[in-house]
Structure formats: structure tokens, C-alpha cells
Amino acid sequence: MATPLSPSRLLAILKAEGVKTAEYPDWRTRGRDAATGRTFGPVHMILNHHTAGSNSLAVVAKNGVAGLPGPLAHIHLAKSGLATMCSASRANHAGTMAKNAYDSFLKESSTHPAPSKSSGTVDGNDVSYGIEPENLGNGKDVYTRAQYDAWVRINTAFCREYDWSAESVGCHKETSIEGKIDPRGPVEGYGTRGRFEFTPGQFRKDVAERLKHPASWSPPTTTTPAPAPKPPTTDERITALEKRVTALEKKES
């Protein structure tokens, strides 16, 4: 039974993982439990999104959008890498999940099928934590290096706390029966990698790699240069010279 974390514990695991955090006013008591009559949890996965807008903190944390009251996620992630706590309770982020997709994350399968409505549905807001990195979602807006690094850390923090593998890390487009496309877009870089396109598979690999290390670990940002070749010994230089002389003699004969 994966019980939702208390606000204090949620902050603690993120800080231990090296995430810079901030607290939106009243986030500890704001949620959709009372309004919907549904209780948040038990939780079984993390669901990742993009905000599809800029300057969206208030929208995600409190205001919501037309027809969808806030909070719209548990954590808003700015391009600076700052994670702002928006809710510790039920949030309107996941919508309806296809059961076949949800089950693959619940069972931590190594593959995740395309969501199929015919397999049945699950209320994703009950069972998942939602992360909203700020990004326009137009396929051109770039996730900054600091933002992606914090994103990996946030997901790893949940996995480490609950003893989940990286296969509990999902993306909205992998579970939605409504054809959601988030998250998508280019990433400025991560570790020793330069610019690359966000994919759920690579994201899970980065979380899996981080899980191999202590929470205080940071990925290397430069590659280790190859060692300089050793200078030849005197014997090696003499041998090489003899070979060149022999080759010249054969050529002249």
C-alpha cells in the first residue's frame, strides 16, 4: 500500500535528492479530495506532463483552467529548475487512464503498451503524482538543462522513497485515452549529453541510472579525456628506425 506522503515528507525527499524547492501558499491543505468525494491514494506511479503555457505557476497551483479547477499538479517545475509545491492531495492532472497502460506501470513492466480505452479505465488522479514542467509543448520550446536535471531528481525521489523502479515513471501521452501529447520538446542537455529530444524511454533510463547512486549524487557534466599516449621507449625508437632503414634499402635495391 503506497500511502501518499505528508507535505513535510514530500519536501524532505526532494531536498535530499538535491531539488530546489518552494512552497505555493496553502499547498499543504489544497486538493480535490473534498470537492470530488474521492481520496487521493494509494499511489502507484508518477505522471509527467508539460504546462502548454508560460508563467503558469498560479494556474497549476491554484487557479486551474476553464472546466478544470486547480490544483492541476502536485509540483510545478520552472525552467530554472525550481520545484514549487502545489498540492499534497488529489490534483486534476491525469484524467482518465487506459487500464492496460496503467497496469503496465503498476506492475513495473519493461514495456508500456499504447493506451487502449477498450481495456477499461482508471481515475489517474487517484493513483498518481503529477509533475508539470513549464514548457509550451509546441515541440520547439526547450527544457533547460537545470529543469531536466531537477525533473529526473523529482521522479527519482518518489521512486527511491517507495522502492519503485524507473518503470513506475510515466508520461501523460502513455496513459491518456484522450490523445494527450505531453510531454514533448527538445532538452538543452543532461550530464555529458548535448541537446536531445525528450522521450519517455530515455527519461526512464536517466531515472534508473540515478537510482543506482545515493540521493546526493550528481551526474558528471564533462567526459573524462583519454589518457595521453606514452612516449616510446629508447628500444622502441631504435626498432622503428631500423624498420624504416630496412624498408628504404629494399626500395632502392
Side-chain angles (χ1 to χ4, degrees):
M1 182 71 71
T3 303
L5 302 175
S6 70
S8 296
R9 184 59 187 165
L10 177 52
L11 275 174
I13 67 168
L14 294 176
K15 290 179 179 179
E17 205 71 39
V19 180
K20 297 183 296 181
T21 62
E23 301 180 59
Y24 199 84
D26 301 324
W27 77 277
R28 294 170 182 260
T29 55
R30 185 183 300 108
R32 298 294 302 158
D33 300 58
T36 60
R38 301 180 69 95
T39 302
F40 181 46
V43 288
H44 298 297
M45 64 179 294
I46 312 113
L47 199 65
N48 295 280
H49 306 262
H50 60 230
T51 59
S54 57
N55 300 317
S56 55
L57 175 56
V59 172
V60 171
K62 182 179 180 180
N63 299 338
V65 295
L68 195 64
L72 302 183
H74 297 92
I75 299 172
H76 174 277
L77 181 58
K79 286 185 176 288
S80 66
L82 180 66
T84 301
M85 304 298 103
C86 299
S87 178
S89 302
R90 196 171 191 273
N92 275 333
H93 70 98
T96 304
M97 292 180 174
K99 190 175 186 302
N100 70 319
Y102 166 70
D103 284 347
S104 73
F105 292 102
L106 174 66
K107 298 172 183 177
E108 296 187 316
S109 302
S110 59
T111 58
H112 302 283
S116 171
K117 186 176 181 179
S118 63
S119 68
T121 59
V122 174
D123 189 327
N125 297 329
D126 287 346
V127 297
S128 61
Y129 278 105
I131 318 299
E132 285 275 7
E134 181 121 307
N135 189 278
L136 295 176
N138 59 5
K140 299 178 181 178
D141 193 17
V142 178
Y143 298 99
T144 68
R145 180 176 286 271
Q147 187 179 32
Y148 187 84
D149 180 71
W151 201 358
V152 172
R153 290 173 187 266
I154 291 167
N155 279 260
T156 304
F158 283 112
C159 290
R160 203 186 298 277
E161 174 72 4
Y162 286 119
D163 197 26
W164 292 343
S165 79
E167 300 301 340
S168 288
V169 172
C171 294
H172 200 189
K173 59 187 173 185
E174 296 182 292
T175 63
S176 172
I177 63 170
E178 301 168 338
K180 299 294 185 180
I181 61 170
D182 54 320
R184 70 168 180 167
V187 181
E188 181 182 22
Y190 177 68
T192 59
R193 293 201 308 271
R195 185 178 173 118
F196 62 97
E197 198 69 20
F198 178 92
T199 65
Q202 181 61 62
F203 189 62
R204 282 189 282 272
K205 287 179 181 178
D206 291 333
V207 172
E209 177 60 30
R210 184 169 185 83
L211 283 168
K212 298 175 184 178
H213 303 275
S216 58
W217 177 77
S218 291
T221 55
T222 57
T223 55
T224 303
K230 294 181 179 180
T233 65
T234 300
D235 289 344
E236 289 172 337
R237 287 198 295 269
I238 291 173
T239 299
L241 181 59
E242 289 174 342
K243 288 181 178 179
R244 287 199 294 272
V245 170
T246 300
L248 287 171
E249 289 175 344
K250 288 181 178 179
K251 185 176 181 180
E252 291 174 355
S253 61

